[in-house]
Amino acid sequence: MTAEGAGALRSNVAHWRALQDADYFENHQCYGGLKAFGRDATDTLARFLSLRPDMQVAVVGCGYGRDTLQIAPQVAHVYGIDVSARILTKAHRFLEEHGVRNFTPVLAELWRDGIPDGIDLVFSIVVMQHLTRDLVRDYFAGFARKLAPGGSMVIQFLESRGYGQQDAELATYEPSVNWTCWDIMDLAEAVGLQAEIRTDRVAETALWHWGHFRRPA
Ligand SMILES: C[S@@+](CC[C@H](N)C(=O)[O-])C[C@H]1O[C@@H](n2cnc3c(N)ncnc32)[C@H](O)[C@@H]1O
C-alpha cells in the first residue's frame, strides 16, 4: 500500500471512530437506537448457503450487534470487527442482554491477529460502501487466507446513481463508495476467490450487489 493509501485508510478509521463517539446508531435516522430489527443477515445468507452449528463466523463492521444477533444462535462462534472499544462494548452488552454468549469483539486495527484461521463464513452488510477501496482490498486479501477450505464470504456492496460517486476519504459525513459488478469480480479474482453476485434494487437510485465469494474445498 502507498503512503497516501495508508494515510487515507487511517483517516477513514478515525472518521468512523468519531462517528461512533457521537453515538452514530442512536442518532441515525434508519437505526434510531440500539434495537433488534430486520432479518437482512439470515434471510440473505439463506439465499447462498445454510448456517451450521459448527461454523466459525466473522462479521465485518458488526456495529452494535444487529446482524450478529440473527446469526449467532445458529453457529458455533461469531467474531465481530468494528472500529472502537466504545462500539464493541455496546455490541457486547446488547448481545448479552439478548442471550448471546458466543461473541468475541475484535478491534478493526487488530483484526488480523484477533481472528483465527479456519473461518467458515464472513458476513458484512452496509459496511464496504463506507470504507476506502484499499481497506476493502485489505479485508479481502486477509480473509482469503483465513477462510477454511470450502469457506465463504457473503458481502454487500452499494452501487448508486448520483449520491455516492465520490471516494470515501472525500465525503464529509458517511463516506460512500460505489462498487460495480466488474469491480467486485476483479476484487475476487485478485485474492483467488470464486465469485457469484446477486443484485437487488433497494431504492430508486441504489443497487445492492451481494457477493458470495468461495474458497474452493
Ligand atoms: C452503517 S453501519 C452498519 C453496521 C451493521 N452492519 C448493521 O447493519 O447494523 C457501518 C459499520 O461499519 C463500521 N466500520 C467503519 N469502518 C470500519 C472498519 N475499517 N472496519 C470494521 N468496521 C468498520 C462502523 O463503525 C459501523 O459500525
Side-chain angles (χ1 to χ4, degrees):
M1 186 183 296
T2 62
E4 197 182 326
L9 192 152
R10 274 195 301 276
S11 81
N12 195 197
V13 173
H15 182 82
W16 269 100
R17 270 200 205 111
L19 288 180
Q20 295 295 3
D21 283 350
D23 291 334
Y24 170 82
F25 291 107
E26 290 86 334
N27 296 312
H28 196 284
Q29 57 176 352
C30 302
Y31 290 89
L34 311 187
K35 59 183 194 293
F37 71 96
R39 300 218 20 103
D40 300 340
T42 41
D43 286 354
T44 300
L45 286 167
R47 292 166 67 180
F48 296 103
L49 50 86
S50 299
L51 292 174
R52 297 186 317 264
D54 64 337
M55 275 184 160
Q56 300 290 320
V57 178
V59 174
V60 180
C62 65
Y64 64 85
R66 184 177 72 93
D67 325 324
T68 302
L69 180 61
Q70 299 167 44
I71 297 169
Q74 300 185 50
V75 302
H77 202 84
V78 180
Y79 297 88
I81 306 173
D82 215 300
V83 292
S84 66
R86 181 178 167 90
I87 185 58
L88 289 171
T89 300
K90 285 185 191 179
H92 207 235
R93 191 178 312 133
F94 174 79
L95 290 164
E96 280 209 334
E97 282 167 7
H98 287 80
V100 172
R101 301 275 181 270
N102 55 348
F103 173 73
T104 299
V106 178
L107 267 178
E109 62 200 273
L110 304 175
W111 80 270
R112 280 177 187 267
D113 293 331
I115 305 281
D117 290 340
I119 292 293
D120 299 295
L121 172 67
V122 182
F123 179 79
S124 190
I125 178 171
V126 207
V127 178
M128 296 299 123
Q129 66 222 49
H130 297 313
L131 308 186
T132 59
R133 289 177 198 281
D134 277 351
L135 204 33
V136 172
R137 288 193 194 100
D138 185 59
Y139 273 124
F140 269 74
F143 273 118
R145 286 193 289 272
K146 284 187 185 290
L147 279 181
S152 63
M153 303 171 64
V154 176
I155 309 285
Q156 174 261 326
F157 293 84
L158 172 73
E159 185 177 354
S160 64
R161 267 206 285 248
Y163 170 77
Q165 301 290 340
Q166 59 192 335
D167 284 341
E169 57 269 31
L170 301 179
T172 49
Y173 177 53
E174 286 184 312
S176 190
V177 175
N178 261 0
W179 286 80
T180 67
C181 287
W182 283 115
D183 291 337
I184 297 167
M185 283 293 176
D186 289 346
L187 176 68
E189 197 173 298
V191 299
L193 296 177
Q194 299 169 343
E196 164 195 8
I197 299 171
R198 297 194 197 171
T199 298
D200 298 325
R201 188 171 189 168
V202 295
E204 183 63 27
T205 57
L207 303 175
W208 275 16
H209 298 308
W210 280 103
H212 181 208
F213 307 92
R214 273 168 297 171
R215 179 177 167 182

